[in-house]
Amino acid sequence: QSVRSVVVTQDTTFIASFVPNQFQVQVVSNDDNMGTVSGSGTYFYKSYARVIANPKPGYQFLHWSDDNTYSEHNIYVTSDTIITAFFAPRTYQINAQTSNPDKGSVIGGGEYSYGDTITLTAIPQRGCEFAGWSDGATDNPRQVIVTDDATYTAEFTIVYLEPDTVTICYGEQHTWNNKTYNTSGLYVDTVAGLLDSLFLTVLPAVPVTEMFD
């Protein structure tokens, strides 16, 4: 007891002993799946509590609820305290590309968070077909779980192009790949590195006498 009564019978010395108050420090994580914390416990008044934030793989420590940005942080204890560590997924760059842009393109690349499931799609140009990805996968579209920076390259191969089949009347002209044709035949041209073809049929002229029979 801080107050006591004594009976005085002689000279006496009384010594009062004091100790600091104790307070509870509770350390929590904003998401236990992203990171763990340590440092919770009972501490004396005006002592320091060392709190530590440990992000899990794929995640990063952002800051404490008191805005301190160091993962190991000393708290000056003056009262019961709850302090929260904030974690967030790391972001990674996914490059989606093709070894030959003339043969096709790829969509789906960009910056994503750890654990995201993304879709990559290879789009062949006319006269080409998708052959596979540089890592051996052959699905198209394909799904990828983001765990790190990565590059995915789509491979394309040239396939036979069905010729454009066109029929015109005698005296008409047909423009194909910026060239003009007016004679029946099979024409071959190279477009963006690919062989393209035209099968043109020109109908014969009808004699005037037949038109009035």
Side-chain angles (χ1 to χ4, degrees):
Q1 296 180 8
S2 60
V3 178
R4 60 175 294 192
S5 298
V6 296
V7 177
V8 179
T9 58
Q10 60 183 8
D11 292 338
T12 305
T13 299
F14 295 93
I15 299 176
S17 296
F18 298 91
V19 295
N21 288 330
Q22 293 182 319
F23 296 100
Q24 293 294 319
V25 174
Q26 184 179 0
V27 188
V28 298
S29 169
N30 71 312
D31 189 328
D32 292 335
N33 294 319
M34 298 184 186
T36 60
V37 294
S38 60
S40 294
T42 302
Y43 295 87
F44 287 113
Y45 177 69
K46 290 188 177 180
S47 66
Y48 286 91
R50 189 166 186 79
V51 297
I52 301 174
N54 296 295
K56 293 183 178 180
Y59 299 93
Q60 60 183 327
F61 169 73
L62 298 180
H63 59 83
W64 296 96
S65 51
D66 64 357
D67 294 329
N68 187 284
T69 57
Y70 291 97
S71 60
E72 297 189 20
H73 175 32
N74 290 323
I75 299 175
Y76 189 58
V77 179
T78 58
S79 62
D80 290 333
T81 301
I82 298 176
I83 187 165
T84 303
F86 288 89
F87 300 94
R90 291 187 179 277
T91 56
Y92 295 102
Q93 184 67 38
I94 302 299
N95 296 316
Q97 61 187 26
T98 172
S99 58
N100 190 334
D102 288 337
K103 296 179 181 179
S105 59
V106 183
I107 58 174
E111 189 174 85
Y112 298 94
S113 296
Y114 177 84
D116 283 350
T117 299
I118 65 173
T119 300
L120 304 179
T121 304
I123 305 172
Q125 294 280 22
R126 181 174 180 269
C128 297
E129 65 181 7
F130 171 72
W133 300 94
S134 53
D135 61 356
T138 57
D139 292 344
N140 184 41
R142 67 176 295 188
Q143 289 191 323
V144 174
I145 298 176
V146 178
T147 59
D148 205 344
D149 293 331
T151 297
Y152 298 91
T153 303
E155 305 289 346
F156 300 93
T157 57
I158 297 176
V159 295
Y160 175 72
L161 282 176
E162 289 289 340
D164 293 331
T165 301
V166 178
T167 300
I168 60 176
C169 294
Y170 179 81
E172 294 180 342
Q173 297 185 109
H174 177 69
T175 300
W176 178 72
N177 291 340
N178 298 317
K179 298 175 183 178
T180 301
Y181 301 88
N182 59 9
T183 305
S184 296
L186 177 64
Y187 301 94
V188 179
D189 198 1
T190 301
V191 180
L194 304 176
L195 290 176
D196 203 357
S197 57
L198 166 68
F199 185 75
L200 179 65
T201 299
V202 179
L203 297 177
V206 179
V208 175
T209 55
E210 293 184 11
M211 295 178 60
F212 294 96
D213 285 348

